Amino acid sequence: MPDEPSPETVRRAVARGRGATFDVPAGEASATAERLNQQLAGRDIRVFVSGPTTCTALQLVDAHEARRTRPELETLVADFRGLAHTLTQRFELGTLDENVWWAAPHGEHCRFENLGTGVVVEAHTHAPDSVDPYFLLRFAQTTGRYPAVLDACVHGFHDMSRLLEMAGVR
């Protein structure tokens, strides 16, 4: 049976851009991740369950980089929300230009893709102000207009979640 990693083992194993996966006892992954996250609080390291008997640790964006990218993040969020509002409204009214935007509704969301540019907006149809870290990252990637935010998102969704958390964006 594998031993649970110590906080010191996790700190030594991760670096910005390089995560580490640890084997943990069967049935203990959630408890191990929670314990390590509490013990590593304030270190910009996040541990999450990555399998039934594994946890993964990542060194996420730090406070300095989050402050540096915050103006661009705020612009990104505003641009996303504005376009999400416009697209969901036009979709609901039946006035979406289908020669420009492809729409694929699914559950409470709709994926909009610009046929010419490839820009993707995945919006909550009844709450377009909602910002999902994965959907926001996809929007940023497909627009190519937010280089500082994209550079800060070394670990993709996880760093975007951290940036939004640090900026107080919900």
Side-chain angles (χ1 to χ4, degrees):
M1 171 161 38
D3 293 328
E4 291 186 17
S6 70
E8 187 56 36
T9 299
V10 173
R11 276 194 294 271
R12 284 193 313 265
V14 300
R16 189 81 171 116
R18 186 191 78 226
T21 300
F22 301 94
D23 292 327
V24 298
E28 295 296 318
S30 292
T32 298
E34 185 177 331
R35 176 182 57 80
L36 286 169
N37 281 324
Q38 289 172 355
Q39 293 171 335
L40 293 165
R43 295 241 180 216
D44 300 320
I45 296 174
R46 290 293 185 272
V47 180
F48 59 92
V49 175
S50 52
T53 60
T54 58
C55 287
T56 297
L58 301 173
Q59 177 79 44
L60 298 181
V61 61
D62 64 20
H64 172 75
E65 191 168 11
R67 277 191 303 276
R68 185 180 58 76
T69 61
R70 185 158 181 179
E72 188 173 286
L73 177 69
E74 290 174 351
T75 300
L76 166 62
V77 169
D79 291 349
F80 175 85
R81 285 177 169 163
L83 194 50
H85 270 277
T86 298
L87 293 171
T88 56
Q89 182 179 43
R90 288 182 183 166
F91 181 75
E92 289 176 1
L93 294 173
T95 60
L96 184 70
D97 186 345
E98 294 177 358
N99 293 317
V100 178
W101 291 97
W102 173 77
H106 54 97
E108 296 178 328
H109 293 94
C110 188
R111 175 188 168 105
F112 299 96
E113 185 169 341
N114 186 292
L115 299 171
T117 65
V119 169
V120 173
V121 178
E122 182 89 24
H124 190 293
T125 54
H126 302 296
D129 276 340
S130 297
V131 177
D132 177 283
Y134 178 79
F135 298 154
L136 185 64
L137 180 61
R138 186 76 178 123
F139 175 71
Q141 291 167 332
T142 58
T143 65
R145 293 192 334 237
Y146 311 95
V149 171
L150 291 173
D151 288 347
C153 290
V154 172
H155 294 294
F157 164 84
H158 300 285
D159 279 318
M160 180 62 82
S161 294
R162 175 87 166 135
L163 286 172
L164 292 171
E165 171 189 314
M166 293 175 86
V169 175
R170 298 179 197 271

